[in-house]
Tab-separated table of all heavy atoms in Angstrom:
chain	number	residue	atom	x	y	z
A	1	LEU	N	131.362	54.197	-91.713
A	1	LEU	CA	130.728	55.407	-92.187
A	1	LEU	C	131.507	56.199	-93.184
A	1	LEU	O	131.062	56.773	-94.121
A	1	LEU	CB	130.287	56.293	-90.984
A	1	LEU	CG	129.526	57.556	-91.248
A	1	LEU	CD1	128.208	57.246	-91.817
A	1	LEU	CD2	129.378	58.369	-89.975
A	2	ALA	N	132.865	56.211	-92.951
A	2	ALA	CA	133.728	56.944	-93.819
A	2	ALA	C	133.752	56.281	-95.236
A	2	ALA	O	133.969	56.941	-96.221
A	2	ALA	CB	135.141	56.926	-93.242
A	3	GLU	N	133.538	54.950	-95.282
A	3	GLU	CA	133.551	54.268	-96.575
A	3	GLU	C	132.174	54.344	-97.364
A	3	GLU	O	132.179	54.415	-98.527
A	3	GLU	CB	133.859	52.781	-96.320
A	3	GLU	CG	135.246	52.543	-95.758
A	3	GLU	CD	135.503	51.103	-95.501
A	3	GLU	OE1	134.541	50.250	-95.691
A	3	GLU	OE2	136.649	50.724	-95.039
A	4	THR	N	131.109	54.452	-96.567
A	4	THR	CA	129.798	54.427	-97.199
A	4	THR	C	129.009	55.723	-97.141
A	4	THR	O	128.003	55.858	-97.780
A	4	THR	CB	128.901	53.362	-96.514
A	4	THR	OG1	128.755	53.638	-95.126
A	4	THR	CG2	129.556	51.950	-96.638
A	5	GLY	N	129.477	56.709	-96.347
A	5	GLY	CA	128.748	57.982	-96.198
A	5	GLY	C	128.868	58.856	-97.403
A	5	GLY	O	129.698	58.734	-98.228
A	6	THR	N	127.952	59.786	-97.383
A	6	THR	CA	127.868	60.761	-98.501
A	6	THR	C	128.983	61.829	-98.456
A	6	THR	O	129.331	62.380	-99.502
A	6	THR	CB	126.507	61.407	-98.549
A	6	THR	OG1	126.211	62.007	-97.342
A	6	THR	CG2	125.447	60.318	-98.821
A	7	ALA	N	129.358	62.103	-97.146
A	7	ALA	CA	130.398	63.187	-97.001
A	7	ALA	C	131.658	62.504	-96.482
A	7	ALA	O	131.582	61.498	-95.795
A	7	ALA	CB	129.910	64.187	-96.025
A	8	PRO	N	132.781	63.053	-96.778
A	8	PRO	CA	134.087	62.469	-96.312
A	8	PRO	C	134.141	62.534	-94.799
A	8	PRO	O	133.856	63.521	-94.127
A	8	PRO	CB	135.202	63.424	-96.909
A	8	PRO	CG	134.511	64.066	-98.084
A	8	PRO	CD	133.037	64.263	-97.678
A	9	VAL	N	134.592	61.355	-94.221
A	9	VAL	CA	134.772	61.314	-92.766
A	9	VAL	C	136.196	60.791	-92.526
A	9	VAL	O	136.579	59.738	-92.963
A	9	VAL	CB	133.756	60.230	-92.123
A	9	VAL	CG1	134.020	60.097	-90.725
A	9	VAL	CG2	132.369	60.694	-92.411
A	10	ARG	N	136.953	61.695	-91.816
A	10	ARG	CA	138.410	61.343	-91.574
A	10	ARG	C	138.499	61.017	-90.036
A	10	ARG	O	138.190	61.843	-89.180
A	10	ARG	CB	139.272	62.459	-91.952
A	10	ARG	CG	140.750	62.131	-91.844
A	10	ARG	CD	141.580	63.304	-92.481
A	10	ARG	NE	141.518	64.507	-91.700
A	10	ARG	CZ	142.438	64.850	-90.718
A	10	ARG	NH1	143.461	64.055	-90.411
A	10	ARG	NH2	142.301	66.033	-90.119
A	11	LEU	N	138.948	59.780	-89.739
A	11	LEU	CA	139.131	59.374	-88.420
A	11	LEU	C	140.568	59.731	-88.000
A	11	LEU	O	141.505	58.996	-88.416
A	11	LEU	CB	138.821	57.850	-88.237
A	11	LEU	CG	138.745	57.317	-86.815
A	11	LEU	CD1	137.697	58.049	-86.015
A	11	LEU	CD2	138.478	55.818	-86.809
A	12	VAL	N	140.733	60.812	-87.316
A	12	VAL	CA	142.065	61.204	-86.886
A	12	VAL	C	142.724	60.309	-85.921
A	12	VAL	O	143.816	59.865	-86.109
A	12	VAL	CB	141.991	62.668	-86.337
A	12	VAL	CG1	143.436	63.116	-85.861
A	12	VAL	CG2	141.404	63.634	-87.348
A	13	LYS	N	141.988	59.981	-84.907
A	13	LYS	CA	142.562	59.067	-83.852
A	13	LYS	C	141.305	58.479	-83.104
A	13	LYS	O	140.398	59.108	-82.829
A	13	LYS	CB	143.389	59.856	-82.842
A	13	LYS	CG	144.089	59.025	-81.798
A	13	LYS	CD	144.949	59.850	-80.905
A	13	LYS	CE	145.614	58.984	-79.803
A	13	LYS	NZ	146.459	59.843	-78.856
A	14	ALA	N	141.473	57.211	-82.802
A	14	ALA	CA	140.295	56.510	-82.199
A	14	ALA	C	140.881	55.382	-81.335
A	14	ALA	O	141.798	54.669	-81.605
A	14	ALA	CB	139.348	55.961	-83.197
A	15	THR	N	140.184	55.160	-80.166
A	15	THR	CA	140.420	53.983	-79.341
A	15	THR	C	139.558	52.789	-79.783
A	15	THR	O	138.441	53.079	-80.162
A	15	THR	CB	140.185	54.349	-77.848
A	15	THR	OG1	140.344	53.182	-77.058
A	15	THR	CG2	138.788	54.898	-77.635
A	16	ASP	N	140.114	51.678	-79.709
A	16	ASP	CA	139.319	50.403	-80.070
A	16	ASP	C	138.620	49.803	-78.858
A	16	ASP	O	138.141	48.668	-78.942
A	16	ASP	CB	140.228	49.432	-80.779
A	16	ASP	CG	140.660	49.903	-82.132
A	16	ASP	OD1	139.873	50.560	-82.822
A	16	ASP	OD2	141.841	49.551	-82.506
A	17	GLU	N	138.618	50.553	-77.747
A	17	GLU	CA	137.920	50.043	-76.526
A	17	GLU	C	136.432	49.966	-76.831
A	17	GLU	O	135.851	50.695	-77.604
A	17	GLU	CB	138.167	50.964	-75.362
A	17	GLU	CG	139.597	51.009	-74.889
A	17	GLU	CD	139.718	51.915	-73.644
A	17	GLU	OE1	139.171	51.588	-72.607
A	17	GLU	OE2	140.435	52.998	-73.739
A	18	ARG	N	135.810	49.060	-76.129
A	18	ARG	CA	134.307	48.879	-76.137
A	18	ARG	C	133.668	49.629	-74.993
A	18	ARG	O	134.237	49.556	-73.877
A	18	ARG	CB	133.888	47.440	-76.138
A	18	ARG	CG	134.320	46.665	-77.413
A	18	ARG	CD	133.806	47.267	-78.714
A	18	ARG	NE	132.419	47.523	-78.725
A	18	ARG	CZ	131.520	46.673	-79.285
A	18	ARG	NH1	131.934	45.555	-79.722
A	18	ARG	NH2	130.249	46.967	-79.307
A	19	PHE	N	132.519	50.221	-75.223
A	19	PHE	CA	131.874	50.951	-74.156
A	19	PHE	C	130.456	50.456	-74.093
A	19	PHE	O	130.065	49.543	-74.799
A	19	PHE	CB	131.898	52.457	-74.455
A	19	PHE	CG	133.279	53.010	-74.656
A	19	PHE	CD1	133.804	53.150	-75.961
A	19	PHE	CD2	134.043	53.386	-73.577
A	19	PHE	CE1	135.078	53.638	-76.095
A	19	PHE	CE2	135.336	53.891	-73.700
A	19	PHE	CZ	135.876	54.020	-74.985
A	20	SER	N	129.632	51.035	-73.224
A	20	SER	CA	128.245	50.632	-73.136
A	20	SER	C	127.550	50.909	-74.407
A	20	SER	O	127.930	51.767	-75.192
A	20	SER	CB	127.540	51.374	-71.983
A	20	SER	OG	127.504	52.692	-72.258
A	21	SER	N	126.494	50.118	-74.682
A	21	SER	CA	125.763	50.267	-75.935
A	21	SER	C	125.174	51.652	-76.145
A	21	SER	O	125.241	52.259	-77.185
A	21	SER	CB	124.577	49.215	-76.001
A	21	SER	OG	123.822	49.447	-77.188
A	22	ALA	N	124.621	52.246	-75.011
A	22	ALA	CA	124.040	53.532	-75.109
A	22	ALA	C	125.075	54.625	-75.410
A	22	ALA	O	124.884	55.530	-76.168
A	22	ALA	CB	123.349	53.895	-73.716
A	23	ALA	N	126.291	54.479	-74.739
A	23	ALA	CA	127.321	55.468	-74.995
A	23	ALA	C	127.812	55.388	-76.457
A	23	ALA	O	128.047	56.393	-77.049
A	23	ALA	CB	128.475	55.277	-74.054
A	24	GLU	N	128.065	54.168	-76.981
A	24	GLU	CA	128.545	53.996	-78.298
A	24	GLU	C	127.531	54.497	-79.331
A	24	GLU	O	127.931	55.206	-80.343
A	24	GLU	CB	128.906	52.520	-78.557
A	24	GLU	CG	130.131	52.126	-77.817
A	24	GLU	CD	130.549	50.717	-78.190
A	24	GLU	OE1	129.690	49.885	-78.766
A	24	GLU	OE2	131.687	50.283	-78.029
A	25	THR	N	126.264	54.164	-79.150
A	25	THR	CA	125.257	54.600	-80.096
A	25	THR	C	125.129	56.118	-80.087
A	25	THR	O	125.024	56.733	-81.127
A	25	THR	CB	123.881	53.973	-79.682
A	25	THR	OG1	123.986	52.581	-79.710
A	25	THR	CG2	122.774	54.339	-80.739
A	26	THR	N	125.146	56.732	-78.926
A	26	THR	CA	125.015	58.212	-78.870
A	26	THR	C	126.295	58.861	-79.598
A	26	THR	O	126.053	59.852	-80.325
A	26	THR	CB	124.914	58.638	-77.413
A	26	THR	OG1	123.816	58.069	-76.793
A	26	THR	CG2	124.827	60.201	-77.338
């Protein structure tokens, strides 16, 4: 989203863990 979005998106810190589909989508 940071690469293709219309507004700048800066990912400060993020975990690469996977979660449930509903949680990730929300």
Side-chain angles (χ1 to χ4, degrees):
L1 182 65
E3 296 175 358
T4 60
T6 57
V9 177
R10 185 169 69 94
L11 190 59
V12 179
K13 185 178 180 181
T15 175
D16 290 326
E17 294 182 64
R18 295 304 306 268
F19 306 94
S20 66
S21 175
E24 288 185 343
T25 302
T26 302

